[in-house]
Amino acid sequence: MSLLIATRRLKPGEIGLALLWFAIVVPLAFLASIPTSNAVQGALGLFAVLCVALLKPFTMKTIVARFALLAIASAIVMRYWFWRVTSTLPPVEEPLSFGIAVSLFAVETYAIWVFFVSSFITADPIERKLPPKVAAASLPTVDILVPSYNEPIEMLSITLSAAKNMHYPQNKRTVVLCDDGGTDERCNSDDPVKAQAARKRRADLQALCAELGIVYSTRERNINAKAGNMSAALERLNGDLVVVFDADHVPARDFLARTVGYFVVDPKLFLVQTPHFFLNPDPVDRNIGLRADCPPENEMFYHQGHRGLDRWGGAFFCGSASVLRRAALDSVGGFAGETITEDAETALEIHSQGWKSLYVDHAMIAGLQPETFTTFIEQRGRWATGMMQLLRLKNPLRRKGMSLSQRLCYLNSMTFWLFPLVRMTFILAPLAYLFFELQIFVATIEEVAVYMSSYMAISFMVQNGLYARVRWPLISELYETAQAPYLSGVVLRTLFKPRGAKFNVTAKDEVLEEDFLSPLYKPLLILWGIALLGVLAAAVRWFLYPGDHNILMIVGGWAIFNFIILSAALGAIGERQQRRAVPRVDMNVPAVAAIGVGEDYTFTAATVLDSSTSGAKLKLIPGPDTDHAHLASLDKGSVFYFTPEFPKSPHLENAVRVQVVNVQRTPTGLVLGVRYDPDQPLIVRETIAHLIFGDSSVWEAIRESRNKPMPLLKGMAYVFSLAFTSVAHVMKMLAAEPARRKRAQEREREVAVVADEPAHILAFGQAFDPVLSEPVHPMRQMLAQGRGATDGRLHFDAPGTHPDRGPRA
């Protein structure tokens, strides 16, 4: 009866999958509870491992192979759990050992529950087809919101330009900059410096919006952070759909064309969510030095996990790169703001009203990830806090109006963020025996060999089989370990005090001038040191207590594995130099270059090899009509124009003025590194935005190139090798840290002498701007002040002034 009630709200196909899943798992649960001898269990485990190994290559091709693999894995996992609960707990008469052992077992039970729920959700991820074509007259009106707080104007100009130039009838779309940094509250602050900065920001952004022809929106007070900011803007808008882009999420031109059509055919659809694609690696990836072809950490969620949620009607709002129906938003009073994850909370409220959602796995925005480990942890801490708030304040199991599958989807997404507590438990548990000789489980070496070995082997094999293209072996363990000592306290505090959290904006415009040790280095380094002591304790016990060899083979091996993963994760605290503030994007776009002075231009064919929002690499190609003398005259400091050729967008023909910063002469042409002149009309910035961000197929090609499987054993060996390189990198930085801090103090004294007010240099390379009274990185200072310029602009060495528009090829 309960199964019929649970499946009553599912679609016919979903009911079939649910019944198939239960038909497989329930009998296996019964079989898993039957006691056997160690010999039979060993044979069963070996047979299961062989079957999983044979099925693994086919798991991404057929659902039958996936279900067979998961059925076999489920049997082994459940047999392991029954063995743990019935045979491995120490006696209650030893309360300390029993308490620790039960805590470890509870965490293992949670991990096994996650395995079953995640397998259920992602066993058959859905593939969405393109939306139907809709006549222009029938298209809904769209309000495009870009919420902002303290992002640089240069970043906003690119995002807003791209949003304005998306394919859609102009009379049916409105682009709105939602500025929370220039509110009345901030402009009238009692702090005169803060008020002056807010007023200047408001004026600058109003001028930017006027030049771009978009709407500027602000409000009286900063209430409910991003959710309140967007809801305030909606009060003055009346579009049928609402699109949200973060300030650093630049949309491709086909974003609306690939999403809006779904709303036309399904009046109950409230959300179309798309992936978040990032141009730069996250700081864990960069600091540890993961291979360029290693799939990014977020791909496991955006390429597979969210498609699984979509299968069961649980695709949720991720805060950006999303389209929502205005009527659905209004039905719940706008964007929710009770928690700091307004996106998931809003989706939960609307799903509870019976609305539907879907997920389109095609990257149509390009954004920026945090550059430092500090801001990475701040961002993940905010996500963890918000999800724990939702779990406590709006538990999906108690929500009416949703199907059982939707509740499981939300519960799975929320409880995922308990991983810091799980990871810390697994790291510290073996130390209870190695340091204090407390029993964490009672078993013979034979029992461990037949139960635990098959369980562990199959766990790794299943993960490698199901997520082969989006997650290499042990990379999840590496990321979770790097975050665990920092997020554990965040999770616990929020569970006990869910209303005490505060929304903090993640900085995305940082530049790392040199290698340095993250100011957050101590927790992870201390945990690594404790794990090292655990390995040493295991070695000492091995030699001093020969009778403990059996238990040491288990607990000591566990401690060594933890130490290896911790060693690999340790590299995350070693920040690597990152002078380039804006990532470059490889491309191969034809262009025309105009070289000359005044009206005397020579035109030549060119190719844009890569570009960022600040510069590009161009190859000038000699031709029969090319003046070779003009090409030969190009050198560092030369100024010329170029126009990318956009066959589908002939109206974007405003030439871009550039200055040469480096020259490479090759047999096939002249390769130039150029810098864009920032002092040119914003219409030219639209050309640059279209050049870099206009074509979503570029992002999909990059995703495809990274989503390549890694064999299990080879992947493990790779992570083990990272343990050596990460430790060496961090130890080198630890040794150099005193000298680096001394140099930082000297720079601080130099700045204090020059400035009217002292500018405080932080130990990790940031500076406090005496005007803004908040941390500002060198890139933001450059954007605000210019590189040595007194007029706030980048200086170009070419004499004379340049026209508003360059030559047209």
Side-chain angles (χ1 to χ4, degrees), residues 378-392:
E378 288 174 352
Q379 180 192 67
R380 299 308 168 95
R382 187 177 75 242
W383 295 352
T385 298
M387 285 302 193
M388 292 300 99
Q389 285 181 308
L390 279 177
L391 185 63
R392 281 291 319 277

Side-chain angles (χ1 to χ4, degrees), residues 109 157 165 255 295 315 443 643 663 718 744 774 779 802:
T109 300
S157 70
N165 282 295
F255 182 90
T643 304
V663 180
Y718 171 63
E774 61 183 33
M779 181 58 184
H802 60 78

Side-chain angles (χ1 to χ4, degrees), residues 252-302:
R253 301 202 77 207
D254 60 349
F255 182 90
L256 295 177
R258 287 180 173 271
T259 54
V260 169
Y262 295 109
F263 292 90
V264 177
V265 298
D266 189 350
K268 289 299 293 180
L269 181 68
F270 87 89
L271 169 71
V272 172
Q273 178 64 52
T274 70
H276 293 183
F277 172 84
F278 298 104
L279 293 173
N280 60 326
D282 66 66
V284 175
D285 182 332
R286 189 190 66 250
N287 293 346
I288 292 175
L290 296 181
R291 281 171 38 175
D293 57 342
C294 182
E297 185 243 4
N298 61 298
E299 277 294 278
M300 186 172 178
F301 174 70
Y302 281 114

Side-chain angles (χ1 to χ4, degrees), residues 38 57 97 145 267 273 313 350 392 441 503 567 677 719 730 767:
N38 288 343
S97 292
L145 308 184
Q273 178 64 52
I350 299 177
R392 281 291 319 277
F441 61 83
F503 188 98
S567 296
D677 181 357
V719 172
V730 170

Side-chain angles (χ1 to χ4, degrees), residues 4-27:
L4 291 175
I5 294 173
T7 57
R8 192 162 51 191
R9 288 181 173 269
L10 299 179
K11 297 177 182 179
E14 294 173 346
I15 293 175
L17 283 174
L19 291 176
L20 176 60
W21 183 265
F22 282 105
I24 293 174
V25 171
V26 172

Side-chain angles (χ1 to χ4, degrees), residues 95 101 127 131 135 258 325 379-380 411 443 450-451 481 502 509 532 558 653 712 726 728 743 745 760:
E127 291 281 355
R258 287 180 173 271
R325 192 182 296 273
Q379 180 192 67
R380 299 308 168 95
L411 189 64
V450 298
Y451 282 97
T481 299
K502 180 182 177 182
D509 58 334
L532 175 60
W558 186 359
E653 53 187 6
L712 179 59
S726 290
R743 291 195 304 270
Q745 292 171 357
H760 305 285

Side-chain angles (χ1 to χ4, degrees), residues 48 52 171 209 305 401 540 551 604 614:
V52 169
N171 64 331
C209 292
V540 170
I551 189 64
T604 184
S614 60

Side-chain angles (χ1 to χ4, degrees), residues 77-90 100-109 112 426 429 440-443 448 451-452 455 558:
V77 169
M78 285 188 287
R79 286 199 65 82
Y80 171 79
W81 186 86
F82 278 113
W83 169 70
R84 286 282 282 121
V85 74
T86 58
S87 306
T88 65
L89 297 179
I100 294 175
V102 169
S103 299
L104 174 61
F105 174 70
V107 170
E108 282 191 271
T109 300
I112 289 171
F426 287 155
I440 53 177
F441 61 83
V442 180
V448 169
Y451 282 97
M452 183 176 286
Y455 165 70
W558 186 359

